[in-house]
Amino acid sequence: MLPKHSKMPAIKDSHIVKIAVEFVNDTQMYPQLIEFDQRQPLSAIIQNLCSTWGILDAENYALQFDGITYVTEKNRHEVKNGTVLKLRFSPSKTTNDILDKLKRGTHDEKVAVLKELQVLSADNTFALEFIKEQGLSLIIDLIEESKSEDRLLEYALCSFVQLMEHGTISWDILEHSFIMHNVAFITGSSKPEIIQSALSILENIVQSSNKYALVEKEITLETLLKLLRDAARTQVQQNAIALLNALFIKADDVKRRVLATTLGSKQYRSVINSVITPTMGAEMAHQLYVLQTLTLGLLEQRMKTPMDVQDQDAQDKIKELRRIAFEADGIDPDVTARRQHGSSYSSHYKKLGFKCDINPAQDFFETPPGTLALDCMIYFARNYTQNYTKVVHENSCRADEHECPFGRTSIELVKVLCDIFRIGESPSEQGQEFYPMFFTHDHPFEEFFCICIVVLNKTWKDMRATTEDFVKVFSVVREQIVRSIVGRPASLEDFKSKIHTFTYNTITSLRQQERTSREECESTASAIVSLKEKITPEIRALIKEQRLGYLIVGTRFCKYSGGKRERDKYWYVRLSPNHKVIHYGDCDEKTVPTLEELSNKLAVIDIRQMLVGKECPHMKEMRSKKASTPLGFSLVPESSEQTTLDFIAPDEATFNYWTDGINALLGQPMASKQQEEDFETLLSMEIKLRLLDTEGVDISKDPPAIPPEPENYDFCFDS
């Protein structure tokens, strides 16, 4: 029973939050501190606010979160304790005012409302109202009627892009004249803001309209590359590459190859390389990654095409490989071979390292790498004849079993390279892993092969390998390549220099170090096991502290809508220093907002659970896009009336850190692979530090035996 004078604790109403509301239209009115009841209709809340301020036409007003996003019945759950809302004219009232000014206002008035429109258009609620009242058609008319490159055109184009990005209107509605106006803006405008918006519009037309052929006809590669070279703004360069990628994707195979050939020429490569800088943003990196994936993707057809024994060109290439390899001192290899073997060249093909020396064409039946392997081999023979003949003769003339079969290893190497660079895979929505070296040559993949085949031959010799060691050799070669491209070499020469540092002995040493470290961590000695058990809680606590610290610093996430990434739209999320509240809100690509600037909040205590992967509600839309599976997770609030807070991490490390941190906040175990790796690394380091004094001492698996008791305990001590 309760004590006699005790009182029942007050029951907290979870539906009521305390907020502040400012009146936008009159700064003289003091803000109101109110209790926002989630069960009360928004119209009633607005009516009460207007009554307090003496506003009569409450139906013309609405609430906003941040001056951009209107509060609606769908998103009202985002209103949390401490939120500051703004009372301003409703979307309907604002739309009517803007349309009236655009129809009957002066030039300056039109510029002013268009400047306001480009901000308001980012909100879906306003955009729907504006489009419903035929505002989009009016904007299109303004763009087509514009005679000069003034601010009116700049804001009109930006507003149009914002309105269309909500996806409620099809890009097919655009007429020929509007498209041609945007083409003219690109080729004739000198204002970066206008060019930027026009490029974005044309990119969307190519991607999402049946009129993409018109853009393809009017926009030349020379025009886009001129923009890349002369543009004063990175955003213009970024949009130019995005349009180039869109045209590349829509083009047929013949046009793609023409584009790739043109881009591979020296004068155009230098333009592409000019936009690759250490300070470029994530979106620029993504567009370059897409361009690289598309150009390398042209190799897919050859990679998946087995050699046709009736293909005379392929047969001629095989014969050319033989002629180049064995042509010396003016002796015709054909005559020599005929004298020794009649009409057969099987001995030459055997020395070239083909599995089927009777008919080498059969070696190219497997896909991948198909006929792409033959293309790389003949490129090596024609362009690096000295290295080619050296590789072939060094191995074909050896009398032992350690010869490196050029044909077989070349085919396997091309297969490995196709796997490393994911030839044939479609660009992912978030990919940013591009390699500048692939933009420095007109045949980058073939050049890359030429470097690697020489390294492979040297590694084979260093390992004194035989054909039985084929798999082991390629395990080392693959590691040499992967380790060498980690730092994104700026050129093929840089890659060549780097891979030569990863010799077989270096790889062996690195593997031994990693193995030794792992073995030490996995030691089963009882003393080490006891030490592990003792320090494990400390390590777990340290990892938890790091994860929570990472959440406090916060992360910038890309925005997605309808399963599609929204270009140049981001939101930032961070944990409060007291670990009680998650703050989030919109941000740009570079700025790191403070806690005070993040207006939206989610209390940790209000989180019921975290969902990851396929369990997340927003992952259904992502899977339907047939792209690589993004790293998604969702926070599910306690209240069923609130929607989940959905994330898509930019990389695996961010995904692991955030899921670990959320689990730690919820009192759940941190279960990511990264957490286990961090734990093993820190545990290994800590054990090594604590065992420094025992360096050189053999720590046996079992503790030493207890010596037998002495015959008596009559010990004598000399004073």
Side-chain angles (χ1 to χ4, degrees):
M1 294 183 63
L2 293 171
K4 184 175 180 180
H5 299 290
S6 66
K7 295 182 179 179
M8 291 292 292
I11 299 176
K12 181 181 177 181
D13 192 337
S14 60
H15 297 287
I16 297 177
V17 293
K18 295 183 178 181
I19 65 169
V21 181
E22 298 175 340
F23 186 44
V24 175
N25 294 3
D26 190 345
T27 56
Q28 300 299 318
M29 293 188 179
Y30 291 106
Q32 296 186 42
L33 299 176
I34 67 168
E35 290 187 345
F36 188 93
D37 191 341
Q38 293 286 9
R39 296 165 299 185
Q40 189 177 11
L42 277 175
S43 58
I45 296 175
I46 294 171
Q47 180 65 59
N48 292 336
L49 288 166
C50 290
S51 297
T52 303
W53 274 317
I55 300 171
L56 301 179
D57 53 340
E59 67 278 2
N60 287 330
Y61 289 85
L63 292 170
Q64 275 187 329
F65 281 105
D66 46 17
I68 299 176
T69 307
Y70 281 95
V71 180
T72 65
E73 294 295 345
K74 290 184 178 180
N75 65 12
R76 62 182 294 166
H77 64 274
E78 298 176 15
V79 179
K80 304 295 181 182
N81 278 316
T83 300
V84 178
L85 300 181
K86 300 179 184 299
L87 185 72
R88 62 161 298 152
F89 286 132
S90 66
S92 176
K93 167 68 172 171
T94 305
T95 294
N96 291 331
D97 291 345
I98 291 176
L99 291 176
D100 184 64
K101 285 288 193 301
L102 291 177
K103 292 175 182 177
R104 287 175 282 276
T106 64
H107 180 273
D108 289 341
E109 288 176 335
K110 290 180 179 180
V111 170
V113 294
L114 282 172
K115 185 176 182 180
E116 181 185 13
L117 178 62
Q118 73 170 351
V119 176
L120 291 170
S121 296
D123 178 58
N124 187 62
T125 304
F126 174 83
L128 290 174
E129 181 66 26
F130 191 80
I131 292 171
K132 185 185 75 173
E133 297 298 327
Q134 304 303 311
L136 187 64
S137 300
L138 184 57
I139 297 298
I140 293 174
D141 292 339
L142 283 173
I143 293 172
E144 291 184 337
E145 294 169 2
S146 179
K147 302 297 183 183
S148 60
E149 296 182 6
D150 58 6
R151 290 181 300 162
L152 187 148
L153 179 57
E154 174 191 336
Y155 295 142
L157 283 168
C158 185
S159 299
F160 176 82
V161 173
Q162 292 276 26
L163 291 166
M164 291 297 290
E165 282 187 348
H166 293 286
T168 57
I169 298 295
S170 171
W171 287 88
D172 291 332
I173 67 166
L174 300 177
E175 298 296 336
H176 178 277
S177 60
F178 181 82
I179 297 174
M180 293 306 298
H181 271 85
N182 281 275
V183 172
F185 297 150
I186 290 176
T187 57
S189 176
S190 60
K191 199 164 187 179
E193 293 81 5
I194 293 175
I195 299 174
Q196 175 182 324
S197 296
L199 284 168
S200 180
I201 291 169
L202 294 179
E203 179 204 351
N204 280 286
I205 291 172
V206 172
Q207 287 184 332
S208 309
S209 170
N210 55 20
K211 298 183 177 66
Y212 73 89
L214 177 60
V215 180
E216 183 183 52
K217 177 183 177 182
E218 297 294 335
I219 298 297
T220 64
L221 187 58
E222 289 75 11
T223 300
L224 293 178
L225 292 172
K226 183 177 183 296
L227 285 176
L228 288 175
R229 184 181 64 245
D230 302 336
R233 295 184 65 180
T234 302
Q235 188 66 47
V236 173
Q237 296 176 322
Q238 179 180 298
N239 287 7
I241 296 179
L243 177 54
L244 174 61
N245 288 334
L247 291 169
F248 205 115
I249 292 171
K250 284 289 186 177
D252 58 32
D253 189 62
V254 174
K255 291 179 180 178
R256 286 185 183 184
R257 294 187 183 281
V258 172
L259 277 171
T261 302
T262 307
L263 287 172
S265 61
K266 187 174 181 179
Q267 66 179 107
Y268 291 125
R269 288 201 313 268
S270 63
V271 176
I272 297 293
N273 279 309
S274 67
V275 305
I276 301 176
T277 63
T279 58
M280 63 185 171
E283 186 61 31
M284 176 66 85
H286 173 71
Q287 295 301 337
L288 289 168
Y289 151 79
V290 173
L291 181 59
Q292 172 190 285
T293 303
L294 293 173
T295 52
L296 289 180
L298 294 175
L299 301 171
E300 180 185 11
Q301 181 182 0
R302 298 290 287 174
M303 179 188 76
K304 292 185 176 180
T305 302
M307 181 173 171
D308 183 356
V309 292
Q310 303 299 323
D311 185 348
Q312 190 58 46
D313 179 63
Q315 293 287 357
D316 290 343
K317 287 180 179 178
I318 294 176
K319 292 177 182 178
E320 188 176 352
L321 287 172
R322 174 182 55 78
R323 284 197 298 271
I324 295 174
F326 300 106
E327 185 179 294
D329 301 326
I331 299 175
D332 185 351
D334 294 350
V335 175
T336 305
R338 286 191 183 95
R339 288 173 181 172
Q340 297 176 354
H341 307 286
S343 60
S344 172
Y345 303 108
S346 61
S347 64
H348 285 169
Y349 292 136
K350 186 174 183 179
K351 290 180 179 180
L352 277 170
F354 289 108
K355 287 191 290 185
C356 183
D357 51 53
I358 302 298
N359 184 12
Q362 293 183 16
D363 285 35
F364 301 99
F365 285 175
E366 181 185 359
T367 58
T371 50
L372 178 61
L374 180 58
D375 295 341
C376 291
M377 292 165 69
I378 196 66
Y379 182 91
F380 180 49
R382 289 172 177 172
N383 295 276
Y384 299 93
T385 304
Q386 186 176 356
N387 286 341
Y388 168 67
T389 54
K390 180 181 178 181
V391 168
V392 172
H393 285 281
E394 275 187 356
N395 292 285
S396 63
C397 298
R398 296 183 68 167
D400 56 24
E401 73 281 9
H402 296 287
E403 68 274 4
C404 176
F406 171 74
R408 184 183 173 194
T409 53
S410 295
I411 292 170
E412 183 64 23
L413 176 61
V414 174
K415 185 178 180 180
V416 168
L417 295 182
C418 289
D419 181 60
I420 291 175
F421 296 113
R422 300 179 180 180
I423 305 298
E425 292 188 16
S426 300
S428 70
E429 289 285 336
Q430 302 176 78
Q432 297 179 12
E433 195 63 31
F434 77 97
Y435 300 97
M437 61 184 174
F438 285 132
F439 297 101
T440 61
H441 201 278
D442 51 346
H443 293 95
F445 186 82
E446 291 85 347
E447 286 287 321
F448 194 88
F449 166 84
C450 294
I451 296 171
C452 293
I453 192 65
V454 174
V455 172
L456 187 155
N457 189 61
K458 183 179 185 305
T459 301
W460 187 287
K461 289 191 295 183
D462 291 344
M463 295 177 68
R464 292 193 55 78
T466 66
T467 52
E468 295 179 356
D469 301 315
F470 197 85
V471 175
K472 293 180 181 178
V473 172
F474 272 90
S475 171
V476 174
V477 171
R478 186 186 185 95
E479 190 167 344
Q480 289 174 312
I481 296 170
V482 171
R483 288 181 183 269
S484 299
I485 63 176
V486 167
R488 290 187 182 181
S491 67
L492 289 163
E493 282 300 317
D494 289 344
F495 167 76
K496 184 177 180 180
S497 300
K498 192 168 184 180
I499 197 171
H500 279 302
T501 65
F502 288 108
T503 62
Y504 168 61
N505 290 333
T506 303
I507 295 296
T508 302
S509 177
L510 291 170
R511 286 181 171 181
Q512 183 60 42
Q513 292 174 14
E514 293 166 359
R515 186 181 302 112
T516 301
S517 177
R518 185 165 58 251
E519 288 174 352
E520 289 179 355
C521 286
E522 295 172 355
S523 173
T524 57
S526 59
I528 304 300
V529 170
S530 298
L531 180 58
K532 283 183 180 180
E533 293 175 352
K534 180 179 179 181
I535 64 178
T536 289
E538 301 174 16
I539 301 298
R540 299 287 188 196
L542 183 61
I543 295 174
K544 178 181 177 181
E545 181 181 353
Q546 185 273 335
R547 296 297 195 263
L548 295 178
Y550 185 87
L551 267 59
I552 290 173
V553 173
T555 302
R556 181 184 294 105
F557 294 89
C558 294
K559 280 193 171 185
Y560 286 75
S561 177
K564 182 180 179 182
R565 180 177 176 181
E566 297 183 39
R567 186 168 53 254
D568 299 327
K569 290 189 177 182
Y570 305 88
W571 62 304
Y572 204 91
V573 189
R574 64 195 309 173
L575 178 68
S576 62
N578 63 5
H579 303 165
K580 292 184 178 181
V581 180
I582 294 176
H583 299 253
Y584 60 96
D586 293 339
C587 68
D588 57 29
E589 186 177 349
K590 296 181 179 180
T591 306
V592 177
T594 63
L595 282 178
E596 292 73 18
E597 294 172 333
L598 299 174
S599 57
N600 304 316
K601 301 176 184 178
L602 175 63
V604 173
I605 196 173
D606 292 335
I607 301 175
R608 185 170 77 246
Q609 63 175 329
M610 177 178 65
L611 303 176
V612 297
K614 296 180 180 179
E615 298 176 349
C616 301
H618 65 301
M619 298 303 288
K620 296 179 181 178
E621 295 178 326
M622 301 302 298
R623 291 196 298 273
S624 66
K625 295 295 178 181
K626 297 183 179 180
S628 59
T629 304
L631 303 167
F633 60 98
S634 300
L635 302 184
V636 182
E638 282 286 350
S639 174
S640 59
E641 297 180 5
Q642 296 178 314
T643 59
T644 57
L645 194 60
D646 301 322
F647 301 76
I648 294 182
D651 50 58
E652 189 172 358
T654 304
F655 174 84
N656 290 332
Y657 284 179
W658 269 91
T659 53
D660 283 344
I662 297 299
N663 278 326
L665 290 172
L666 300 180
Q668 302 294 327
M670 297 179 290
S672 75
K673 181 180 178 182
Q674 183 68 47
Q675 186 272 150
E676 289 301 323
E677 292 176 356
D678 291 349
F679 173 76
E680 292 297 332
T681 300
L682 293 171
L683 186 62
S684 173
M685 292 175 59
E686 185 65 20
I687 289 175
K688 287 180 181 179
L689 288 172
R690 298 199 182 198
L691 296 181
L692 282 177
D693 291 339
T694 63
E695 185 71 28
V697 178
D698 181 27
I699 302 177
S700 61
K701 183 176 181 179
D702 299 316
I706 299 175
E709 293 185 357
E711 295 180 359
N712 60 68
Y713 292 88
D714 299 329
F715 300 108
C716 178
F717 296 94
D718 293 331
S719 59

